[in-house]
């Protein structure tokens, strides 16, 4: 027995999990599509054991579901489920923004400006590439705001809502105009935080999440990419 083997297996499973999750977010695996152990094992040149663990994690985190006759398939979301998730974000994140406006530090403000500059760099290279690059930066932007609120309970609730797979796919649905509007909201949030104006920050964040919800609901939830 080798003491390094379990750790190595976990690392392989984690790498596969991260890669397949990103493919789901980017729409390379469409909602309802099957993800087979054979296919993934071949893609990553590995045995089925870490693949099985990666698929189990994808199911546990809501990116996929296990169906007895089909195996692991990408989760499908109804329009009502999408609406509920974004309405929850409006409630939580608007309050976080208001609280953050009262407590944010100069360093946190500078970090938000740096992240937004990075988000807006490189221009528009197509929806899928933009979504892949912008998504993680956007999540970090919202994480910094949550941190600035100094409210751990609200921040924890938000982390759960943002990790929902459907939220992570938002940018893949944005048109150029919707993307620019989202960027404008981020810039105005930074202005509200700099002014330490809680009511302004709350209002802008509410608009920001409502417009994201509309972008998701404008197109059929099972859109093929």
């Amino acid at each position: 027995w080798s003491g390094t083997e379990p750790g190595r297996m976990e690392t392989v499973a984690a790498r596969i999990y991260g890669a397949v999750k990103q493919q789901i977010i980017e729409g390379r695996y469409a909602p309802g599509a099957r993800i087979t152990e054979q296919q993934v094992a071949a893609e990553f040149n590995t045995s089925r054991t870490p693949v099985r663990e990666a698929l189990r994690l994808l199911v546990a985190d809501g990116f996929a579901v296990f169906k007895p006759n089909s195996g692991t398939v990408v989760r499908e979301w109804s329009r009502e489920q999408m609406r509920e998730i974004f309405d929850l974000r409006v409630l939580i994140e608007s309050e976080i923004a208001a609280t953050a406006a009262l407590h944010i530090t100069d360093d946190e403000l500078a970090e938000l400006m740096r992240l937004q500059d990075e988000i807006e760099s490189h221009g528009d290279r197509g929806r899928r590439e933009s979504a892949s690059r912008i998504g993680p930066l956007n999540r970090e932007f919202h994480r910094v705001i949550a941190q600035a609120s100094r409210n751990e309970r609200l921040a924890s609730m938000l982390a759960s809502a943002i990790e929902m797979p459907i939220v992570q796919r938002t940018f893949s649905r944005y048109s150029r105009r919707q993307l620019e509007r989202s960027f404008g909201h981020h810039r105005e949030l930074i202005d509200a935080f700099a002014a330490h104006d809680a009511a302004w920050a709350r209002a802008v964040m509410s608009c920001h999440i409502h417009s994201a919800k509309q972008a998701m609901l404008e197109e059929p939830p099972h859109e093929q990419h």
Side-chain angles (χ1 to χ4, degrees):
W1 175 80
S2 165
T4 61
E5 196 62 24
R8 190 188 71 79
M9 189 65 74
E10 287 169 17
T11 303
V12 174
R15 183 167 60 85
I16 295 169
Y17 165 84
V20 176
K21 180 174 86 168
Q22 191 60 37
Q23 289 173 347
I24 292 172
I25 291 169
E26 293 174 5
R28 295 178 191 178
Y29 281 112
R34 288 183 67 213
I35 309 175
T36 67
E37 288 180 16
Q38 304 96 301
Q39 174 189 354
V40 177
E43 181 181 345
F44 290 91
N45 192 27
T46 187
S47 70
R48 290 198 192 181
T49 305
V51 173
R52 201 169 292 128
E53 174 63 12
L55 295 184
R56 186 190 69 75
L57 290 171
L58 287 165
V59 170
D61 288 349
F63 288 88
V65 293
F66 183 80
K67 296 185 176 179
N69 297 324
S70 305
T72 305
V73 301
V74 178
R75 181 167 179 177
E76 300 180 78
W77 297 83
S78 70
R79 296 175 77 78
E80 191 53 41
Q81 286 172 322
M82 288 185 199
R83 190 174 284 109
E84 287 172 359
I85 291 166
F86 279 91
D87 285 347
L88 178 63
R89 279 190 68 196
V90 169
L91 290 173
I92 299 171
E93 205 157 1
S94 297
E95 191 56 38
I96 281 177
T99 313
L102 303 177
H103 300 290
I104 197 163
T105 66
D106 289 344
D107 284 348
E108 286 165 337
L109 263 175
E111 178 64 3
L112 289 178
M113 287 187 271
R114 184 196 69 77
L115 284 166
Q116 190 56 30
D117 286 344
E118 179 65 17
I119 285 171
E120 293 182 47
S121 67
H122 305 306
D124 183 14
R125 298 179 180 176
R127 297 169 93 181
R128 181 173 289 172
E129 185 175 340
S130 291
S132 179
R133 188 184 66 79
I134 292 170
L137 291 167
N138 180 69
R139 288 194 291 279
E140 180 63 10
F141 184 94
H142 285 264
R143 190 200 64 76
V144 171
I145 294 172
Q147 169 189 294
S149 75
R150 308 292 182 258
N151 188 321
E152 289 183 16
R153 182 164 293 185
L154 274 180
S156 175
M157 291 170 66
L158 177 64
S160 298
I162 282 186
E163 278 303 307
M164 297 294 281
I166 200 67
V167 173
Q168 297 199 28
R169 284 192 63 209
T170 307
F171 277 112
S172 67
R173 297 291 187 97
Y174 274 13
S175 66
R176 184 65 202 166
R177 178 172 155 275
Q178 288 167 328
L179 208 55
E180 287 171 355
R181 181 169 59 194
S182 177
F183 295 166
H185 288 155
H186 278 199
R187 292 293 182 188
E188 190 171 357
L189 277 168
I190 292 170
D191 290 344
F193 293 142
H196 299 290
D197 188 323
W200 185 10
R202 180 187 285 113
V204 176
M205 185 64 83
S206 179
C207 288
H208 185 54
I209 308 300
H210 274 296
S211 64
K213 176 178 73 172
Q214 192 57 36
M216 292 303 293
L217 295 176
E218 273 178 6
E219 297 176 333
H222 310 326
E223 173 199 292
Q224 303 290 315
H225 286 254

